[in-house]
Amino acid sequence: MRLLGSMSVNAPRYAIGMPAIVAVILRAPATVWFARIGLTLPYWWSGVDKLTHPQATLEEFHATGLPVSWLLYALVLAVQLGGSVAIICNRHAWSGAGALAIFTAFATCLAHGFWKLAGAARFAEMNVFMEHIALIAGLALAALFSYAGQRPAA
């Protein structure tokens, strides 16, 4: 069984000390799909929402200081939906993960500037900021698994 980009879960490093039930779960094809869909959920959900509510998206751009631009709208949709599909289908997943990570870093700094706030608002925004950093790390792991699965065996 291959896991996120062709890394075998049958390799000894996965089996040492692992309970049998965990190995069964990791070997299940559904686990891979749930992981890929779950990792990309914030992006494809937001992309579908932006697709169905274009005017609200343009207003969101304006509220964050970005130009109200149909070109930017198309670019954001391409990154959110295209990156998600790349990871879910494991086709150029490293590219989709990279695009989503860069997008997330930019959007997080733009929309969740906790350093500009004080008190409870600062704390709340800092938590959201840190959650986005964790999401970027998850995307990096998806890219690493994709890359590892494409390297020739040593």
Side-chain angles (χ1 to χ4, degrees):
M1 171 65 204
R2 301 293 181 185
L3 177 68
L4 286 179
S6 302
M7 289 188 70
S8 174
V9 294
N10 295 325
R13 66 181 165 180
Y14 288 101
I16 296 174
M18 180 183 292
I21 187 66
V22 174
V24 168
I25 292 168
L26 292 177
R27 287 187 184 108
T31 301
V32 176
W33 286 102
F34 282 126
R36 290 181 183 154
I37 291 167
L39 176 63
T40 59
L41 174 68
Y43 301 103
W44 60 258
W45 188 277
S46 177
V48 168
D49 189 51
K50 284 176 174 57
L51 194 59
T52 58
H53 301 97
Q55 206 55 46
T57 302
L58 295 175
E59 290 171 16
E60 181 184 12
F61 290 167
H62 178 70
T64 57
L66 293 171
V68 177
S69 162
W70 287 104
L71 180 61
L72 182 59
Y73 173 79
L75 179 64
V76 168
L77 282 177
V79 169
Q80 288 187 315
L81 296 175
S84 295
V85 168
I87 292 170
I88 291 168
C89 296
N90 199 28
R91 298 290 180 251
H92 299 282
W94 59 269
S95 178
L100 289 172
I102 291 167
F103 168 80
T104 302
F106 177 76
T108 301
C109 289
L110 187 67
H112 301 289
F114 67 90
W115 53 88
K116 301 175 194 172
L117 304 169
R122 177 185 172 89
F123 183 75
E125 284 300 314
M126 186 173 66
N127 281 337
V128 172
F129 188 93
M130 296 303 171
E131 289 167 357
H132 284 76
I133 298 302
L135 193 52
I136 292 169
L139 291 164
L141 285 171
L144 286 167
F145 278 117
S146 173
Y147 170 73
Q150 294 175 12
R151 289 186 305 190

